[in-house]
Amino acid sequence: MVKAVVGANWGDEGKGKITDTLADQADVVIRFQGGANAGHTIVNQYGKFALHLLPSGVFHPNITNVIGNGVAFDIDKFLHEIGDIESKGVPEPKIIVSDRVQVLMPYHILFDTLEEARLAGKSFGSTKSGIAPFYSDKYAKIGWQINEFYQDDDALLEKIDHIADIKDALLVNLYHTDPIDRKGLLAWIKERRDRIRPYLCDVPKFLEGEIKEDKTILLEGQLGTMKDPDFGIYPMVTSSSPIAGFGSIGAGIPPYEIKQIVVVSKAYSSAVGAGEFVSEIFGDEAETLRNHGGDGGEYGATTGRPRRVGWYDCVASKYGCRLQGATDVAFTVLDDLGYLDEIPVCVAYEIDGKETTDFPVTKDLKRAKPVYKTLPGWKCDIRGIREFSDLPEEAQDYVNFIEQQIGYPITMVSNGPSRDDIIYRVSPLNR
């Protein structure tokens, strides 16, 4: 059975923990899109980890972890992460990498950094990980599939020259910097291809066999619906699709094999980077929520920069769950709201004097104002509770109210950072 774990909102919803938890019953975990520009934070018996490229199943010794063809594959960060987790006592994980994955090249990071600097105050809030230049090259057909690295020098230099002629025109004339070091790039390729060769695999063929043997496969998405280049807050989006349906393409499996879609949504809202965020809060109120939130505060797992925060947005979450095709909603970090006397929830948007519960296109989203309903807080620590009925009545009411507003069943409630801090429930919508 193939399951997808994806985000409803702007990313940072807690997908890593949910994937790590569900991996207890999984055989394979796959990263199917994105790159090292976002991270999944996981707390387990080995400690606290921020994974960027590695799938969240790497802490389970019996799981095969897969880097799918849809990923922006940063070889150096991949190798560094493996070394990092092993240095902290994690057993050597089983990992395979698609022989069709495309490689994030050094010049992709360079172009990302130069362009953000050029745009200055109008930048996209990029993590400068090279993601947009990478996917631009992929679809312009001047990217590098990893299998292309295993050619003779003449073939490699021919492609390097073709790409460098294009890139140098921009580097020299737009960014006023040095051209690409072509011989240096050849050496970079040859050095890394030997180190990555042992991981390469025909992933779709491998997955076909796992599916025939009825293995449990998890597709692990990065970011969330609001960052999708088609359905998100364009243009302040990522450059690959974090929608569950793209898991079929990014991993190489038939779409009809995806039977369960667990959409993760945080009990309040947060976001890294620029873009529309209707329920965002500011000042001391935001700082207090930021410091209570997450595991050690709401700060980016990749950049460390403070996340923007706000109250739960039912409009965005309902839309996000619908686009993902949610069969289940995992509701995370409920415990972080225990300090509040009252909790606002955004239940609608007001646009030009009219209320709507439908998520608008970006040009209209810019004018949207949040419409709030305030619910009572529970004012206590709820970590350690394992049954939904044992939660304070106010916490149960909060979950039930949001479930009713978004219209999708909340079947998992996370009330702490560790793998064990989870409540499984039968949603009224599934009864």
Side-chain angles (χ1 to χ4, degrees):
M1 179 181 184
V2 181
K3 306 176 182 181
V5 180
V6 289
N9 305 108
W10 296 264
D12 307 308
E13 298 98 345
K15 296 181 294 297
K17 176 194 168 169
I18 299 302
T19 304
D20 182 51
T21 300
L22 294 176
D24 281 335
Q25 289 82 43
D27 301 290
V28 179
V29 177
I30 308 172
R31 275 289 308 275
F32 65 85
Q33 50 85 217
N37 55 318
H40 290 167
T41 301
I42 293 176
V43 179
N44 56 30
Q45 69 270 34
Y46 302 106
K48 180 180 177 181
F49 298 86
L51 300 181
H52 304 281
L53 272 176
L54 295 184
S56 296
V58 291
F59 302 105
H60 300 256
N62 298 322
I63 284 178
T64 300
N65 296 274
V66 179
I67 302 291
N69 55 277
V71 170
F73 186 50
D74 186 322
I75 294 175
D76 289 348
K77 290 183 178 178
F78 171 77
L79 294 171
H80 173 78
E81 279 193 34
I82 293 175
D84 182 58
I85 65 170
E86 290 181 0
S87 73
K88 296 174 181 176
V90 179
E92 181 181 0
K94 297 178 183 177
I95 305 176
I96 59 176
V97 176
S98 173
D99 57 10
R100 295 178 182 271
V101 76
Q102 294 217 5
V103 180
L104 190 139
M105 304 296 286
Y107 51 78
H108 290 140
I109 298 172
L110 173 63
F111 272 90
D112 202 357
T113 302
L114 291 170
E115 180 65 3
E116 285 290 289
R118 187 183 73 86
L119 291 172
K122 296 183 179 181
S123 72
F124 295 103
S126 167
T127 61
K128 303 180 182 66
S129 301
I131 302 302
F134 165 88
Y135 281 107
S136 177
D137 281 3
K138 178 176 181 176
Y139 294 110
K141 297 177 283 293
I142 55 171
W144 291 87
Q145 280 196 354
I146 186 67
N147 60 77
E148 294 181 273
F149 278 18
Y150 303 97
Q151 302 179 84
D152 61 36
D153 287 6
D154 288 343
L156 290 171
L157 281 170
E158 182 180 4
K159 179 158 185 172
I160 287 171
D161 286 339
H162 170 66
I163 294 170
D165 286 345
I166 298 169
K167 301 296 183 185
D168 287 351
L170 292 171
L171 288 171
V172 174
N173 298 303
L174 178 62
Y175 298 115
H176 308 295
T177 190
D178 296 331
I180 288 174
D181 176 359
R182 303 183 186 203
K183 290 184 178 179
L185 187 58
L186 175 64
W188 186 92
I189 289 171
K190 293 172 71 174
E191 193 275 331
R192 281 152 184 82
R193 69 184 180 184
D194 294 331
R195 299 177 65 192
I196 209 68
R197 189 193 297 266
Y199 297 99
L200 299 184
C201 175
D202 182 344
V203 165
K205 183 177 180 180
F206 166 77
L207 294 176
E208 180 187 36
E210 297 296 283
I211 290 170
K212 285 181 177 178
E213 293 182 16
D214 200 28
K215 298 292 184 65
T216 298
I217 298 169
L218 295 182
L219 296 169
E220 180 180 20
Q222 180 206 62
L223 297 170
T225 309
M226 297 301 118
K227 292 295 185 178
D228 183 79
D230 289 298
F231 299 107
I233 52 172
Y234 188 87
M236 302 303 183
V237 294
T238 192
S239 300
S240 65
S241 176
I243 301 294
F246 189 78
S248 169
I249 300 166
I253 58 174
Y256 54 76
E257 294 291 355
I258 304 175
K259 306 298 186 185
Q260 183 180 16
I261 300 173
V262 179
V263 181
V264 186
S265 188
K266 191 179 283 183
Y268 53 91
S269 298
S270 70
V272 170
E276 304 308 319
F277 184 2
V278 175
S279 68
E280 184 174 10
I281 58 177
F282 305 92
D284 291 343
E285 185 180 37
E287 190 66 14
T288 303
L289 178 57
R290 183 177 299 113
N291 289 329
H292 276 89
D295 179 36
E298 285 290 350
Y299 299 90
T302 297
T303 62
R305 62 187 174 184
R307 293 185 181 126
R308 301 160 66 193
V309 294
W311 304 121
Y312 193 83
D313 187 332
C314 294
V315 179
S317 298
K318 179 178 70 173
Y319 173 79
C321 289
R322 176 163 59 85
L323 266 294
Q324 295 285 10
T327 60
D328 300 79
V329 175
F331 198 62
T332 60
V333 296
L334 182 65
D335 53 300
D336 291 339
L337 299 180
Y339 73 99
L340 290 160
D341 293 313
E342 296 181 326
I343 308 173
V345 179
C346 176
V347 296
Y349 293 166
E350 181 185 313
I351 302 175
D352 299 334
K354 296 181 180 180
E355 286 191 14
T356 181
T357 58
D358 293 325
F359 192 78
V361 295
T362 305
K363 74 175 183 65
D364 296 331
L365 191 63
K366 294 177 184 295
R367 306 193 307 280
K369 299 176 182 179
V371 177
Y372 288 115
K373 179 176 177 61
T374 301
L375 302 180
W378 45 95
K379 294 293 289 183
C380 65
D381 184 2
I382 61 172
R383 290 187 184 183
I385 295 174
R386 295 291 177 266
E387 297 293 333
F388 188 75
S389 59
D390 291 336
L391 288 172
E393 184 177 348
E394 293 85 357
Q396 294 183 49
D397 290 345
Y398 185 75
V399 174
N400 288 329
F401 176 78
I402 285 174
E403 180 181 65
Q404 182 183 38
Q405 291 290 309
I406 65 176
Y408 292 88
I410 296 175
T411 59
M412 302 171 68
V413 177
S414 172
N415 61 333
S418 75
R419 184 185 295 173
D420 298 328
D421 292 325
I422 198 106
I423 297 169
Y424 298 93
R425 70 190 284 260
V426 177
S427 161
L429 296 182
N430 279 345
R431 290 174 183 163

